[in-house]
Amino acid sequence: MTPKNALSAHVHLSPLLGIPLAVAAGLAIPLQGRVNGALGAVLDDGIAAAVVSFSVGLVIMIATSLLLPRGRAGMAAMIPAVRARKFPPWYLLAGVIGAFFVMSQGLTISLLGVALFTVSTVTGQMASGLLVDRLGMGPAGKKRINGMRVLGALLTIAAVVWAVSPRFGGGSGSGYLLLPLLLPLAAGFLQSFQQAMNGTQTLHYGTPIAATLVNLATGTVVLWAAWLVKAAVAGAGNPLPGEWWYYLGGPLGCIYIGVGAVLVRSLGILLTGLGMIAGQLLGSLALDIVLPSAGSHVEPATVLGTLLTLAAIVVATLPWPRVVRNSIGR
């Protein structure tokens, strides 16, 4: 690892800068979900949509790794880091989690909509974010789970449910959604582990470019294998569409993975997840206003729930006086 790359791996960002970056990265997720969900519907194949998304992202990261000096240095650092067992070898499988998340988008968003998908993933991510921070799996090490951080996580879940409640107001026919909801719930739960694994690899490679490349390479191999099995059993589905925007899922995923890998070093898993969740809600709100899907409406609860999510992040990140933290943590 060169001195320049070693320095980049150890840069610490304050929450004042890191949280807005996490919010910005989170904006990519609802847009990626809309693109991959639409592509899955057009292809009539959610696995194929995930294959396209990851394959495009992999091509971008290969080109980036070869063209940029930092990318080439990161690639050179990969094998020595793995041989020296700088991290558990199974961390290289972080891309499998990413593949599962993107596949769940293509399989369920056309059925559930972005609202229910977001509720499920956020609930899983909040539960695992606390767990992963407590276990110290990420590059920031173990983080104390005080009462304010738990309160911030609970407020975030409540805010997301409130924000999307107008879009899935209980009808008698909503019971059939229970099983499809389990897929994004599991994908959200695993995301915190993926962020920890990517962040640790970034630390030892010296750049998020290399960690993102490994992530996409692993995920692409798994998705192609899954699609080949599916195609052999049920056929290949519809041909690829000609519109360019169907292929934006890969670049958006690169942004999300790369920024997240950097931020977990400074913020930890839970706070990085909180910021990205705020970005997801803001992005969903913006999509409904600027590019509304059929039947979508911006309700007051959506706006107020988004504001409550931002407040929850403040609760979880501010340096509260010790007396306040102790009283909440009892």
Side-chain angles (χ1 to χ4, degrees):
M1 185 184 297
T2 66
K4 181 178 180 181
N5 282 335
L7 177 63
S8 68
H10 290 82
V11 170
H12 284 267
L13 299 175
S14 69
L16 188 63
L17 179 60
I19 291 294
L21 285 175
V23 172
L27 293 172
I29 292 302
L31 188 55
Q32 184 195 46
R34 179 74 67 86
V35 170
N36 287 340
L39 181 59
V42 168
L43 297 176
D44 193 25
D45 189 340
I47 298 177
V51 168
V52 171
S53 180
F54 258 70
S55 298
V56 172
L58 179 60
V59 170
I60 291 172
M61 291 313 304
I62 290 174
T64 302
S65 298
L66 293 175
L67 292 175
L68 297 183
R70 183 169 294 181
R72 293 194 295 271
M75 291 176 69
M78 287 180 189
I79 294 179
V82 174
R83 283 179 175 172
R85 293 188 174 271
K86 297 290 186 180
F87 50 83
W90 56 270
Y91 275 32
L92 296 170
L93 299 178
V96 177
I97 299 175
F100 180 58
F101 182 85
V102 173
M103 186 171 63
S104 70
Q105 289 177 332
L107 289 172
T108 66
I109 280 186
S110 60
L111 174 64
L112 300 175
V114 176
L116 281 177
F117 186 89
T118 301
V119 169
S120 300
T121 55
V122 165
T123 302
Q125 191 174 351
M126 284 300 92
S128 62
L130 291 167
L131 175 62
V132 171
D133 269 349
R134 185 67 185 88
L135 294 174
M137 288 183 60
K142 289 185 178 181
K143 284 188 170 288
R144 182 172 176 266
I145 307 301
N146 56 42
M148 300 309 297
R149 288 164 66 81
V150 174
L151 179 60
L154 293 176
L155 281 176
T156 301
I157 294 173
V160 171
V161 173
W162 188 17
V164 303
S165 60
R167 304 183 213 176
F168 65 96
S172 58
S174 61
Y176 75 98
L177 297 176
L178 180 59
L179 286 179
L181 280 171
L182 295 178
L183 193 62
L185 180 66
F189 184 85
L190 292 172
Q191 269 210 304
S192 295
F193 293 90
Q194 181 194 20
Q195 289 171 353
M197 294 153 73
N198 286 336
T200 300
Q201 290 183 73
T202 293
L203 174 65
H204 295 291
Y205 300 152
T207 171
I209 297 174
T212 306
L213 175 63
V214 173
N215 192 288
L216 288 167
T218 306
T220 300
V221 170
V222 170
L223 286 170
W224 270 105
W227 182 80
L228 288 173
V229 172
K230 180 265 174 189
V233 173
N238 298 326
L240 292 172
E243 293 84 355
W244 61 271
W245 62 269
Y246 281 112
Y247 305 95
L248 289 178
L252 291 168
C254 292
I255 294 171
Y256 180 78
I257 295 169
V259 174
V262 172
L263 292 179
V264 294
R265 169 68 177 168
S266 302
L267 302 180
I269 301 299
L270 178 62
L271 296 187
T272 300
L274 287 172
M276 289 183 165
I277 286 165
Q280 290 178 47
L281 281 177
L282 291 170
S284 297
L285 186 61
L287 277 176
D288 283 344
I289 294 173
V290 179
L291 296 171
S293 57
S296 65
H297 302 283
V298 176
E299 302 284 350
T302 303
V303 178
L304 294 174
T306 301
L307 295 177
L308 180 57
T309 302
L310 300 177
I313 295 172
V314 173
V315 168
T317 57
L318 279 183
W320 296 95
R322 183 180 297 274
V323 63
V324 176
R325 296 198 305 268
N326 290 344
S327 63
I328 296 293
R330 288 173 185 164

